[in-house]
Amino acid sequence: MNDVYILAAQHISSQTPLCEDWMDAPRLYDDAYVRAIDPDYKRYFAPNTARRLGRILKRALLTSQQVMQTSAVNLPDAVITATGGGCMENTEVFLNALTPEQGELLSPTCFMQSTHNTIGSLIAIETQCKGYNSTYSHKGISFECALLDAFLQLENGEADTVLLGAHDELTSNYFRLLCRTGYLGLSPGSFGGETALALMLSGTPCPQALCRVRGVEICFGMDPQAIRRTLEDFLQRIPCDSGEIDAVMLGVNNREANDRVYADWCPVLFPGQRFLRYKHLFGESYTAPALGCYAAAVCLHRQRIPAHLCSGDAPMGEPRHILLYNCFEHKNHSFILLSSCGK
Amino acid sequence: MDELILKLKREIIDVLNLEEVSPEDIATDAPLFGEGLGLDSIDALELIVLMEKNYGIKLKDPTQGRDLFKSIRVMAEYIRENRTK
């Protein structure tokens, strides 16, 4: 079995794009709806390449290209993509044209780029990766499903490098709809955001790697004791003693509807642990847990956790193990254990 | 005719998202595909939709596009003679 490493990561989000400025100069927002900060794509793409790409595709392509450059992996063995909503903007254009045009005269470009797997297909075409290509669209656990697939392939030696992406865009219309469903809402300190993250994973150790992915577990249930047993089994299998974990990164977002389960369950699942958060910086989206994973990976790589990520307690010393816990709709749970490469 | 040519150039820039191109950059008699603007088959589909949506011209034979989309001037002449709106 191979160990699995995150070699590099690149993001476009509500924080300054394609850099780690959020560690020391985080952008904070009062708005309930925040779109990602797009870099100047003209610096990266020829006009003819970019003109047909919707926003989510430009973000996905640029983060992928940048992560390939940073990791010096020119051709990944596999491309795996997580997206909860897919190409939402193009889908809206396409659907909005359906009624007035009575189902005729629809834009071919928007139609072709309205499917969820457009993202993975584009990355494969642009990277010339003809290997394994899969897209996971499972709402709030899309990223974890994609990561689990990548993890298993790398661990079993079926791939040596995997380009893993997590991409979601939030249009104003979709934001309104998600508020009506209760997924998003107007709560101080909480906002709906967008995710564009590319990770290069490898089954081969590398001195520049950000961290090691020790394990990924996804489970379903509403009984905290059963989830606790799943967590214990997960840590035992790795193996990792719960006392070694420096902090638990939670998917809290300052909304009572989302955070209740963390408040109720964390004392059962993680007694005496320190907790971290990330959605106050990156916002809520279906693939936001990917940005939590990214934030934890950067902290492990830099060997420090900034105070603004900590819930309650002061920043700790050099972190070695960070556990990520995400709970979607109070019933879909995921655990990801990341460790610094030095240990 | 000049007015129609200018309008058509603006519509093509808009529908094909030619961000870096202005109407003055498009030579009225230059080929639209291959050289010139370097459009491709997906753009041809967009132009077919544009013709029908904006001018009520329905192209029943796809091969018609080859002659029709030779240049902006050819397109404009065809529109002037066949438009229904």
Side-chain angles (χ1 to χ4, degrees):
Chain A
M1 297 288 233
N2 297 320
D3 292 336
V4 177
Y5 299 86
I6 299 179
L7 298 187
Q10 292 286 354
H11 75 100
I12 295 173
S13 68
S14 50
Q15 297 299 311
T16 308
L18 306 173
C19 69
E20 295 169 1
D21 284 3
W22 56 270
M23 282 286 281
D24 298 307
R27 292 169 182 259
L28 300 173
Y29 297 92
D30 293 325
D31 300 324
Y33 170 47
V34 178
R35 299 213 71 165
I37 302 167
D38 284 305
D40 181 7
Y41 293 109
K42 288 175 189 164
R43 282 183 55 205
Y44 302 96
F45 300 135
N48 233 19
T49 306
R51 71 181 170 89
R52 203 177 277 146
L53 304 179
R55 212 181 305 221
I56 191 171
L57 295 176
K58 281 184 191 160
R59 291 172 184 166
L61 188 55
L62 183 54
T63 50
S64 300
Q65 288 177 343
Q66 292 290 304
V67 90
M68 286 170 68
Q69 203 175 314
T70 318
S71 61
V73 174
N74 297 323
L75 183 62
D77 295 328
V79 173
I80 301 178
T81 308
T83 179
C87 301
M88 194 54 65
E89 209 158 80
N90 279 346
T91 303
E92 279 189 4
V93 171
F94 177 68
L95 291 178
N96 285 336
L98 267 178
T99 312
E101 304 296 343
Q102 298 176 321
E104 296 182 6
L105 302 178
L106 304 173
S107 157
T109 304
C110 288
F111 171 67
M112 286 185 296
Q113 295 184 355
S114 63
T115 61
H116 288 59
N117 56 11
T118 303
I119 304 166
S121 314
L122 174 74
I123 294 168
I125 290 167
E126 293 295 330
T127 59
Q128 290 292 300
C129 173
K130 299 178 178 73
Y132 180 86
N133 192 306
S134 192
T135 297
Y136 287 85
S137 188
H138 304 298
K139 283 188 158 182
I141 56 164
S142 301
F143 171 69
E144 292 90 326
C145 293
L147 178 62
L148 181 59
D149 185 357
F151 182 80
L152 292 172
Q153 296 216 28
L154 292 164
E155 198 179 44
N156 293 322
E158 287 169 31
D160 186 50
T161 50
V162 175
L163 175 53
L164 176 64
H167 305 283
D168 268 302
E169 60 184 348
L170 185 62
T171 63
S172 57
N173 193 41
Y174 196 42
F175 170 71
R176 279 194 299 276
L177 292 173
L178 290 178
C179 285
R180 284 172 63 184
T181 66
Y183 178 64
L184 297 177
L186 307 172
S187 303
S190 166
F191 66 91
E194 298 182 303
T195 301
L197 178 79
L199 299 173
M200 186 61 77
L201 305 179
S202 175
T204 304
C206 163
Q208 288 81 33
L210 297 183
C211 68
R212 245 182 91 187
V213 182
R214 305 285 301 282
V216 184
E217 181 77 25
I218 301 167
C219 56
F220 178 88
M222 301 181 80
D223 171 17
Q225 295 302 338
I227 302 300
R228 186 176 60 82
R229 284 193 294 275
T230 303
L231 172 62
E232 285 169 357
D233 290 346
F234 169 64
L235 293 176
Q236 199 172 12
R237 222 169 39 240
I238 285 174
C240 175
D241 188 278
S242 60
E244 292 179 70
I245 295 169
D246 295 290
V248 181
M249 179 83 88
L250 301 177
V252 292
N253 68 4
N254 276 341
R255 295 197 66 239
E256 206 272 335
N258 175 73
D259 294 356
R260 196 185 318 129
V261 70
Y262 293 97
D264 292 347
W265 290 29
C266 283
V268 179
L269 295 175
F270 318 108
Q273 280 289 0
R274 289 167 183 259
F275 296 108
L276 308 177
R277 61 198 178 116
Y278 60 93
K279 288 184 183 174
H280 63 302
L281 299 184
F282 295 103
E284 182 63 87
S285 75
Y286 286 135
T287 44
L291 291 164
C293 181
Y294 158 69
V298 173
C299 289
L300 288 166
H301 186 235
R302 292 203 185 187
Q303 290 286 281
R304 69 181 177 91
I305 296 175
H308 59 77
L309 288 187
C310 300
S311 287
D313 293 340
M316 55 209 74
E318 294 181 356
R320 292 178 305 163
H321 309 284
I322 297 178
L323 178 68
L324 289 101
Y325 171 52
N326 180 45
C327 177
F328 178 66
E329 291 184 339
H330 296 200
K331 55 194 177 193
N332 294 293
H333 309 265
S334 69
F335 301 103
I336 300 167
L337 183 67
L338 302 180
S339 296
S340 66
C341 289
K343 305 290 167 185
Chain B
M1 186 65 177
D2 286 348
E3 201 178 314
L4 177 59
I5 285 173
L6 182 62
K7 182 170 178 275
L8 190 55
K9 285 180 180 177
R10 286 189 179 131
E11 287 170 343
I12 288 173
I13 288 169
D14 181 51
V15 79
L16 302 184
N17 199 20
L18 302 170
E19 284 176 351
E20 305 284 300
V21 178
S22 67
E24 298 76 41
D25 297 333
I26 306 175
T28 307
D29 295 302
L32 292 173
F33 292 83
E35 337 156 28
L37 281 182
L39 305 185
D40 59 21
S41 57
I42 299 169
D43 296 315
L45 291 173
E46 293 283 4
L47 293 181
I48 289 171
V49 172
L50 182 152
M51 295 281 277
E52 188 170 352
K53 200 170 175 177
N54 297 4
Y55 302 101
I57 298 171
K58 195 162 189 166
L59 299 180
K60 289 179 185 154
D61 178 7
T63 56
Q64 239 183 314
R66 270 186 221 157
D67 299 325
L68 178 58
F69 298 144
K70 265 185 182 163
S71 68
I72 294 286
R73 189 181 303 283
V74 175
M75 274 183 83
E77 280 168 1
Y78 189 86
I79 289 168
R80 195 182 55 183
E81 288 164 16
N82 296 281
R83 66 188 300 171
T84 59
K85 62 177 179 184

